[in-house]
Amino acid sequence: MADGLGWTGPVVLGTALLGLGALSILKGANLTIVPESLYLYYTDYRFGFVRRGLIGQVFAPLLDRLPRHLHEPLILAWHLATLVLLLVLLTAWAARIAARTGRDMRLMALLLFVSPFLGSLAFFTGGPDVLICLLTLAAVVALRRGRPIIAWLAFLAGMLAHQLMIFTALPLMLFTSLAAPRYRRMSFAGSLALGLVACLVVVLAPPADERLIDRFITNGIPPDTARLIHDLQLDQDVAGMSRRMVGLWANFPMQGMIAVAYGGAAGIVILAYGLVTFRAALPALVPASPRLPGIAGRVLAGLLALGAGLAPLLALALAWDVSRLASLCPFTAFLAVAVLAGQSPAQPPPAGPWPAASACGVLLVLFLCMPFLGLWFEGVKLNQVRPLIPPASLSVAPWNWVVQGVEAVYRSPAAPSAFRAPP
């Protein structure tokens, strides 16, 4: 390789990333499937079209034939299998790109794998996020190889599984289309049209059939929880959800910002580091024209990269799983930077600025040592209920003090507000 690593570069780096990623997963991995994840496997199209119905539609033929006590082991096995698949594919892809593009990209890759991203995916057992990330990675890789139809199929599958696909994949697909080796305009226009259709489906989808509530209850979800899941997850009203989120942000601003900082700090640093390091690649994404001078094109490309890398934060206008959604930012930010690195005219590019490398290194050490935290507006969750392995870092005094400090902030009373938070 040009930076002196030779053929062993991807192997050595991949081994390190695989080990760090496995450690991050073990921090968050647990054997508890909460009803807010379990319902997805019983939500299908038997009563008509419903948002988030694809996972249940795939699992329904099997679950209907299995005794109830085997459902959760099957879902747990699916969760762990897809998580391991994502870890292996992401490791192979990131190691190859990072080894080719120099020290800075290697630092960013290491930070991605120790950030809360993988631990959060592991913690929410049975949730849709692992599948969404797999399909997002597939869409980006397909577009980078000039295969937009595969990317669109991946997006459609993810969209039918969960609306989160709009926030993780769509901005990245639009950004990656600018770097596609062929069919660039078709890729961009097709991705944009598909995204608009997906947004219309979310807004105009018919109400979820109430018979799904009985199906949830039959499969072990408590009646009150089944009703809340139907009303707040499947039968979402966009305006109503936005009002609830305004109430939460108004009542718990400090708690919300701590959760965003914990989950998204690594993504923000990765994106800033990447934009500075690979800034020479920006003109290739939006070429200059008489209507768009060179500097305007670079600014536009930089804004598109910011939007693609931090798009999961936009979901916080509609959902209150704050650290869970913010923790997706390191993943989307790294994908955006990888697209930019692929367009760099120099391989490897000149070294990035030392302040960015230092910030990346500090966060790398911090997240490597920290235990997993799940942060909401009104509470903190640690991986202490049926963890795959005990959270050893909680027995270390400094980290125990940090966790206690965070818990103290979340126990403080809500700020007075004229807005109502959700029940």
Side-chain angles (χ1 to χ4, degrees), residues 226-247:
R227 166 57 68 179
L228 283 175
I229 287 172
H230 175 274
D231 293 346
L232 295 181
Q233 303 284 353
L234 298 178
D235 207 12
Q236 287 179 339
D237 169 56
V238 173
M241 294 299 293
S242 298
R243 286 194 297 270
R244 291 186 180 94
M245 290 308 300
V246 169

Side-chain angles (χ1 to χ4, degrees), residues 63 91 131 255 281 285 313 326:
L63 294 179
T91 296
L131 178 62
Q255 291 88 335
L285 297 177
L313 294 179

Side-chain angles (χ1 to χ4, degrees), residues 16-78:
L17 294 179
L18 194 64
L20 291 173
L23 178 62
S24 295
I25 287 173
L26 289 174
K27 286 183 182 181
N30 66 89
L31 306 177
T32 301
I33 306 175
V34 297
E36 289 78 7
S37 297
L38 189 60
Y39 81 94
L40 288 167
Y41 299 86
Y42 303 116
T43 302
D44 54 31
Y45 303 129
R46 68 183 64 196
F47 304 127
F49 179 79
V50 63
R51 302 184 188 104
R52 310 181 184 182
L54 183 62
I55 295 175
Q57 187 67 27
V58 172
F59 273 82
L62 185 56
L63 294 179
D64 288 344
R65 290 170 172 78
L66 286 177
R68 173 72 187 85
H69 69 276
L70 293 180
H71 289 194
E72 290 196 14
L74 174 65
I75 295 169
L76 180 62
W78 160 257

